[in-house]
Amino acid sequence: MTIWTNENIVEEYRQWVESTAGSLALQSKMRLIVDLISGWPRRGRRFLEVGCATGLMTEMFYHAGFDVTGLDCSPLMLTEAQELLGRRAEFFLGRAEHLPFDDNQFDYVGVGSVLEFVDDPEAVLAEALRVASCGVVVTVYSKWSLYYLLRNRSPSGCVEHRRWLSPFAIDKMLRELVDMGEMTRRSILLGPVSTWKETPVCGWINSRIMPYGLGALSGICIDKNDTKMPIPLKIKKSRAKPAILNACRTNLAARNPTSTFDK
């Protein structure tokens, strides 16, 4: 994770999330996570985002109703996150492999696109599971995807720093760490990065929730104690997800007027 301490890389990250492809990737990541955690209780629940970067996903978790905390190894990233969220979140400087928190200090933990950039991804997962009393949600860019196969065409320099992992490898790590509970697996962003744009066909293909491993971004939700709320599926789809995504969309559109996501 040391690459994120470089000021040029931080600027590159900012440019990527503001680009057409990066904006769609971020919105797709939000859609995938909201789908995975739709059954989690939120009000009064403590949520830690590991690898919070500039706080864009942290803001989504805040709008979802969690009491949010962010952690990152880059002081530059944390400065931007603090400017974005102000007093709505707490932020800590630290490493994902050695979280500065007590066992079960948080209800839920999110590990978003961190495993690809660390030397010991299993240690990151173990730490997330240690500090989460109820559940963990993980996202990782997949080695089985078209994004990986055509990665040399990606406009993001972050791609060359990634340590690509297969969904099978992530599953193997989690099987060794999780003794009980329920796991939900899905993915998003089916097309290569050249299709990450808001044309009718490309937008539809890349916004669909796919089976685990098929899309560029895979997600796993681990419910340690099977703590999901008994919410009917229709309510989850028609109310919970759009409410969170629309709030985030509004804030992203204000910062990036050129975004056309879901229009």
Side-chain angles (χ1 to χ4, degrees):
M1 294 175 70
T2 56
I3 65 166
W4 298 116
T5 61
N6 182 293
E7 188 171 356
N8 292 331
I9 295 295
V10 174
E11 178 59 29
E12 182 181 314
Y13 175 82
R14 185 187 299 111
Q15 292 175 0
W16 166 243
V17 298
E18 291 176 355
S19 69
T20 299
S23 176
L24 187 140
L26 180 64
Q27 292 281 4
S28 297
K29 183 177 182 178
M30 290 180 177
R31 186 186 296 277
L32 175 63
I33 291 176
V34 168
D35 183 87
L36 288 168
I37 69 170
S38 59
W40 282 359
R42 295 165 193 156
R43 295 297 176 191
R45 302 290 176 144
R46 300 155 299 169
F47 190 101
L48 169 67
E49 186 189 6
V50 177
C52 64
T54 59
L56 295 176
M57 293 299 301
T58 318
E59 187 177 42
M60 186 206 77
F61 291 120
Y62 171 81
H63 285 297
F66 294 108
D67 296 333
V68 291
T69 298
L71 176 138
D72 203 276
C73 67
S74 167
L76 297 171
M77 291 285 198
L78 288 177
T79 296
E80 294 207 7
Q82 289 171 327
E83 290 178 357
L84 176 64
L85 281 107
R87 296 182 179 179
R88 295 179 293 169
E90 285 188 285
F91 292 99
F92 292 85
L93 181 67
R95 300 188 64 83
E97 304 95 321
H98 304 285
L99 296 177
F101 305 112
D102 295 331
D103 294 359
N104 300 319
Q105 185 168 337
F106 298 90
D107 296 292
Y108 299 103
V109 174
V111 181
S113 304
V114 171
L115 303 183
E116 307 99 304
F117 298 104
V118 298
D119 294 329
D120 190 351
E122 189 168 357
V124 174
L125 292 174
E127 280 290 273
L129 289 162
R130 178 182 67 81
V131 304
S133 62
C134 297
V136 174
V137 62
V138 180
T139 57
V140 60
Y141 280 92
S142 172
K143 196 175 182 178
W144 291 353
S145 65
L146 288 173
Y147 180 43
Y148 170 74
L149 295 175
L150 300 175
R151 61 194 180 280
N152 292 333
R153 301 182 186 180
S154 173
S156 172
C158 299
V159 170
E160 61 192 61
H161 297 289
R162 283 201 178 106
R163 179 183 181 181
W164 295 87
L165 299 166
S166 71
F168 176 80
I170 302 299
D171 274 2
K172 184 174 183 296
M173 292 179 201
L174 288 171
R175 285 193 205 101
E176 294 174 353
L177 293 169
V178 180
D179 295 328
M180 58 182 295
E182 177 186 347
M183 290 191 195
T184 305
R185 303 170 175 86
R186 296 190 177 98
S187 69
I188 202 166
L189 288 171
L190 179 62
V193 70
S194 60
T195 68
W196 295 2
K197 50 191 174 184
E198 281 304 323
T199 62
V201 175
C202 291
W204 186 87
I205 290 174
N206 287 302
S207 65
R208 300 302 97 187
I209 302 295
M210 307 294 296
Y212 181 58
L214 290 184
L217 189 68
S218 289
I220 305 175
C221 179
I222 304 105
D223 286 280
K224 294 177 68 175
N225 305 305
D226 195 11
T227 55
K228 287 187 177 181
M229 293 184 295
I231 300 178
L233 186 61
K234 287 184 179 179
I235 294 180
K236 285 196 245 179
K237 284 190 174 181
S238 64
R239 297 181 186 175
K241 296 179 189 178
I244 300 167
L245 289 171
N246 287 336
C248 297
R249 236 180 249 127
T250 300
N251 291 329
L252 283 172
R255 289 191 291 271
N256 184 16
T258 60
S259 174
T260 58
F261 185 80
D262 265 13
K263 288 185 179 180

